[in-house]
């Protein structure tokens, strides 16, 4: 009897091992039934309320030509749906601007920064009839930790050391990345977007906008986590807006948003049973 039980255990272990191997192998394969997504992060070309701003002259002809060249690269993805960082309720006005651009594509629309300059041109080159807005506005205070640091009567009671490192030395363990980031504004636009969409830079975007607040709090409170949760909630609602758009497995979805949103959407899309995210950097390489 003991011999039979031992054989059964061996059989179960063997079956479990084989099954795990098969599941791991299956996880790395491309699922043809999933909707392909190109998830692109960008800095804002025009005016922005973001804490970190990049100097970019959207009226400079050389910059406009660089935008057009990048639009051609990204249009090779052949999207059927283009999603941009504006509110769904503004879709009528944005698509009116898009139709005006289609009527006169020789002149880039600079009014909405990267959304109309890059987003509209990608959509035009892809033959897309309209663009979708998936943004959702929700206020949160990502400067809470700085406020506590600058208030003598307050003290960060969670982990001040880690918070300060993420604030002042975010690339402490990545010196080459730090060097590139320091001369970001001297890089050509294509290289700027390549750097922005590096996985480590997307992680940096999450740390800067929310995750460093996990190390902030007053007394036994969760002030930092509560503010970070607002950022997460905003992006969850953005992702929900994406899922409101009717689409089939034959669609190809391009998303262009600020890099912090891109970083968060990356996390949702990566484990989605619906979407299959392609490598953005494959489409940001000059052929």
């Amino acid at each position: 009897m003991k011999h039979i039980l031992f054989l059964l255990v061996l059989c179960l272990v063997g079956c479990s091992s084989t099954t795990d191997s098969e599941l791991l192998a299956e996880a790395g394969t491309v699922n043809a039934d999933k909707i392909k997504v190109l998830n692109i992060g960008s800095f804002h070309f025009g005016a922005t309320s973001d804490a970190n701003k990049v100097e970019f002259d959207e009226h400079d002809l050389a910059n406009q030509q660089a935008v057009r060249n990048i639009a051609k690269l990204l249009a090779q993805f052949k999207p059927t749906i283009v999603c941009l960082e504006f509110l769904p309720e503004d879709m009528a006005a944005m698509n009116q601007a898009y139709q005006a651009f289609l009527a006169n594509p020789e002149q880039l629309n600079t009014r909405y920064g990267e959304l109309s300059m890059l987003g509209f041109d990608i959509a035009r080159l892809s033959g897309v009839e309209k663009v979708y807005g998936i943004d959702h506005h929700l206020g949160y205070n990502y400067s809470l930790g700085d406020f506590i640091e600058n208030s003598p009567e307050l003290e960060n009671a969670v982990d001040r050391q880690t918070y300060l490192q993420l604030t002042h030395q975010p690339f402490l363990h990545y010196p080459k990345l730090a060097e590139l980031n320091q001369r970001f504004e001297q890089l050509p636009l294509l290289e700027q977007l390549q750097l922005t969409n590096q996985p480590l830079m997307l992680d940096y975007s999450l740390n800067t906008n929310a995750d460093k607040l996990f190390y902030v709090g007053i007394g036994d409170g969760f002030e930092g986590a509560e503010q970070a949760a607002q950022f997460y909630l905003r992006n969850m609602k953005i992702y929900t807006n994406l899922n409101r758009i009717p689409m089939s497995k034959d669609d190809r979805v391009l998303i262009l948003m600020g890099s912090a949103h891109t970083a968060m959407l990356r996390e949702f899309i990566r484990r989605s049973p619906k979407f299959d995210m392609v490598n953005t950097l494959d489409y940001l390489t000059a052929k």
Side-chain angles (χ1 to χ4, degrees):
M1 181 68 179
K2 289 182 179 179
H3 182 67
I4 293 173
L5 287 174
F6 179 71
L7 289 175
L8 284 172
V9 168
L10 282 178
C11 181
L12 287 172
V13 170
C15 291
S16 175
S17 176
T18 302
T19 303
D20 289 346
S21 298
E22 289 173 353
L23 286 173
L24 287 171
E26 185 179 341
T29 60
V30 175
N31 189 332
D33 291 329
K34 286 190 174 185
I35 299 166
K36 297 292 182 292
V37 178
L38 177 56
N39 184 34
I40 311 154
S42 174
F43 62 90
H44 296 303
F45 291 178
T48 175
S49 59
D50 287 0
N52 297 312
K53 302 175 184 178
V54 176
E55 291 297 325
F56 181 84
D57 183 358
E58 61 267 39
H59 303 292
D60 180 78
L61 294 180
N63 284 343
Q64 292 192 9
Q65 185 57 53
V67 169
R68 287 194 181 276
N69 292 340
I70 293 168
K72 290 177 183 176
L73 294 177
L74 295 172
Q76 293 180 60
F77 174 66
K78 299 180 181 178
T80 59
I81 295 173
V82 173
C83 301
L84 304 175
E85 190 180 337
F86 63 86
L87 298 172
E89 51 263 41
D90 293 334
M91 247 189 309
M94 289 296 286
N95 275 294
Q96 185 176 6
Y98 175 53
Q99 292 302 319
F101 170 65
L102 290 181
N104 183 26
E106 292 78 20
Q107 181 63 49
L108 286 180
N109 183 328
T110 61
R111 181 175 181 182
Y112 304 103
E114 74 284 357
L115 305 183
S116 55
M117 293 180 72
L118 185 56
F120 282 7
D121 209 29
I122 294 169
R124 176 187 69 86
L125 292 168
S126 306
V128 172
E129 294 181 359
K130 67 176 181 178
V131 294
Y132 289 88
I134 60 172
D135 196 11
H136 180 85
H137 290 173
L138 185 66
Y140 60 95
N141 183 7
Y142 50 73
S143 299
L144 175 66
D146 295 340
F147 175 77
I148 293 173
E149 287 296 320
N150 294 321
S151 301
E153 71 279 11
L154 299 178
E155 180 182 354
N156 179 4
V158 181
D159 184 353
R160 182 171 184 259
Q161 181 178 353
T162 301
Y163 173 78
L164 290 176
Q165 179 193 310
L166 287 170
T167 300
H168 301 297
Q169 296 177 291
F171 303 112
L172 179 63
H173 305 294
Y174 306 98
K176 291 184 178 178
L177 202 59
E179 180 185 348
L180 279 172
N181 190 62
Q182 284 176 353
R183 55 188 183 90
F184 185 89
E185 294 193 11
Q186 284 72 54
L187 297 175
L189 181 59
L190 179 59
E191 292 183 27
Q192 288 179 330
L193 293 183
Q194 288 170 342
L195 180 58
T196 298
N197 286 276
Q198 289 285 345
L200 282 172
M201 286 299 292
L202 292 174
D203 288 343
Y204 163 72
S205 294
L206 286 182
N207 273 326
T208 299
N209 282 275
D211 289 4
K212 70 178 184 177
L213 291 174
F214 297 153
Y215 306 97
V216 172
I218 301 170
D220 295 330
F222 298 91
E223 292 83 0
E226 287 165 358
Q227 290 303 311
Q230 292 298 101
F231 172 81
Y232 274 71
L233 179 58
R234 178 184 177 188
N235 285 282
M236 290 175 184
K237 292 186 175 184
I238 289 172
Y239 187 58
T240 299
N241 281 337
L242 171 65
N243 285 296
R244 292 184 197 277
I245 301 171
M247 57 182 77
S248 73
K249 66 177 184 179
D250 296 321
D251 280 308
R252 299 173 67 82
V253 182
L254 183 144
I255 305 170
L256 174 64
M257 303 196 80
S259 59
H261 302 306
T262 301
M264 184 57 68
L265 290 175
R266 174 188 61 164
E267 301 304 314
F268 301 150
I269 295 169
R270 183 157 46 193
R271 58 180 181 264
S272 167
K274 177 179 178 179
F275 297 118
D276 181 24
M277 189 167 50
V278 303
N279 186 349
T280 302
L281 296 175
D282 288 345
Y283 291 91
L284 282 174
T285 303
K287 302 296 190 290

